[in-house]
Each structure stands twice: as C-alpha cells, then as structure tokens.
Amino acid sequence: MLGSNEIWYYDFTMIKHIGSNVDESTVFEFNKKDIVVKKYKTSGSGNANPLTGK
C-alpha cells in the first residue's frame, strides 16, 4: 500500500540466447475505488539467467 492506494507489480524475465536478457516489472497503482490511477514499467528485480548468472 502507498498511502490509501494499493500497488501491484508483476516481474517479467526473458532469457535470450542471443543479445541481452529482458528484466522488467510492470506496476499498477489502484485508488480506493479499485480504479487504476497509474501504470508503468521499471527495470525489474535484477533477475539473471540461472545458467550463466548474467
């Protein structure tokens, strides 16, 4: 919770064979009436490829 708003976030990690991995989070902020008032993406939680550690 952030003040009177509720925050939900979803982590997403895609491990690529070629190129950089994708690591991001999508965040939704709801008000007291359960209406989305903000949505945005962040850089993620720092997940790495478990096979290479990168």
Side-chain angles (χ1 to χ4, degrees), residues 11-12 22-25 41-47:
D11 288 330
F12 174 77
V22 176
D23 180 30
E24 62 188 23
S25 296
K41 291 190 183 274
T42 67
S43 61
S45 60
N47 294 326

Side-chain angles (χ1 to χ4, degrees), residues 6-47:
E6 186 170 337
I7 306 291
W8 291 13
Y9 70 94
Y10 299 91
D11 288 330
F12 174 77
T13 302
M14 180 179 7
I15 299 170
K16 296 182 177 182
H17 295 287
I18 299 173
S20 299
N21 294 337
V22 176
D23 180 30
E24 62 188 23
S25 296
T26 303
V27 181
F28 298 94
E29 184 176 336
F30 297 86
N31 66 11
K32 289 180 181 180
K33 296 180 181 180
D34 295 330
I35 296 172
V36 175
V37 293
K38 284 186 185 178
K39 60 183 189 278
Y40 53 92
K41 291 190 183 274
T42 67
S43 61
S45 60
N47 294 326

